[in-house]
Amino acid sequence: MTRTFTEDRLVVASHNKGKVREIAALMSPYAIDVISAADINLPEPEEDGENYIANATIKARAAAIASGLPALSDDSGFEVMAINRDPGLYSARWAGPDKDFSLAMAKVYAAVEASGSNDRNCRFVCALALCWPDGVCVTTEGYVDGQFIWPPRGDKGFGYDPVFQPNGYDQSFGEVDQDWKHSVSHRAKAFEQLIAQCFQNTKRRG
């Protein structure tokens, strides 16, 4: 399904400042006022979907209904092949209640070491859901492949970025220029599809 985005406000259905910042940057060419769920005190719904698209849709639909505005949600995960694609859907949970991704990265490293595998292939996955208050939702999914590295490198980005080195490059997502990262990331690839479906005729900034 496609629908042209014609509204002038968009809720990013996330309380994760890093995600909100990246999504706002990707939306910056358009004449849209981007606000976050935290800005308008929306609660975080339980993410109990069976896949990334289901979780993204749960969050976007809840925010759209609660705010009366179209809402965009991202559900993403870090998948490491040596440990059966964990942490995957539970990537945020591995960081604990304090969202400590230093702890999460250390847990991944320990699990990879315990596996005895030499496979360091991994990937980031991003699902996007754009939902309107009338129930219409458009979803997309993007991926970027790379290598799990240890120790973590760089203090840019967020989440698992410091232990992810994209294939063909020698820097982690925690070290690279963030504008470049925005152009090649899993989120950017999902966004390319969403733009094609919903934003081709959306008003741009002058």
Side-chain angles (χ1 to χ4, degrees):
M1 176 181 289
T2 62
R3 175 187 276 193
T4 298
F5 191 96
T6 59
E7 293 80 2
D8 57 8
R9 297 187 85 196
L10 174 68
V11 177
V12 178
S14 177
H15 289 248
N16 181 315
K17 292 180 180 179
K19 282 187 180 182
V20 171
R21 186 168 56 250
E22 284 199 2
I23 291 173
L26 289 163
M27 294 304 304
S28 62
Y30 301 96
I32 299 169
D33 179 23
V34 177
I35 59 175
S36 73
D39 290 336
I40 52 177
N41 298 313
L42 296 183
E44 295 183 271
E46 182 179 359
E47 299 174 38
D48 55 4
E50 295 182 354
N51 53 52
Y52 298 105
I53 286 178
N55 279 339
T57 302
I58 287 169
K59 292 183 284 189
R61 182 167 284 142
I65 291 171
S67 67
L69 296 168
L72 176 62
S73 180
D74 156 305
D75 194 63
S76 53
F78 180 54
E79 300 182 345
V80 181
M81 305 311 158
I83 51 175
N84 301 313
R85 297 183 185 272
D86 280 339
L89 277 177
Y90 307 105
S91 295
R93 296 184 193 178
W94 279 42
D98 296 327
K99 300 292 191 292
D100 182 351
F101 280 93
S102 295
L103 172 65
M105 289 185 283
K107 285 182 178 179
V108 172
Y109 173 69
V112 169
E113 288 293 294
S115 76
S117 172
N118 292 321
D119 187 356
R120 293 298 181 267
N121 288 303
C122 60
R123 70 176 185 173
F124 276 121
V125 184
C126 171
L128 294 174
L130 175 61
C131 294
W132 282 263
D134 64 5
V136 172
C137 287
V138 178
T139 60
T140 62
E141 198 164 31
Y143 312 89
V144 61
D145 295 307
Q147 299 294 308
F148 175 74
I149 58 172
W150 194 265
R153 300 203 311 257
D155 56 6
K156 300 175 184 177
F158 65 98
Y160 296 90
D161 283 354
V163 292
F164 178 82
Q165 182 173 298
N167 287 341
Y169 298 90
D170 59 7
Q171 289 183 303
S172 77
F173 264 7
E175 296 175 297
V176 298
D177 176 80
Q178 294 301 287
D179 286 340
W180 179 83
K181 175 194 163 186
H182 293 160
S183 72
V184 302
S185 73
H186 51 309
R187 194 163 289 113
K189 292 177 180 180
F191 246 97
E192 288 174 6
Q193 300 168 52
L194 191 68
I195 298 260
Q197 294 184 56
C198 299
F199 292 91
Q200 288 297 310
N201 298 309
T202 300
K203 183 179 178 182
R204 290 177 171 263
R205 297 189 188 278

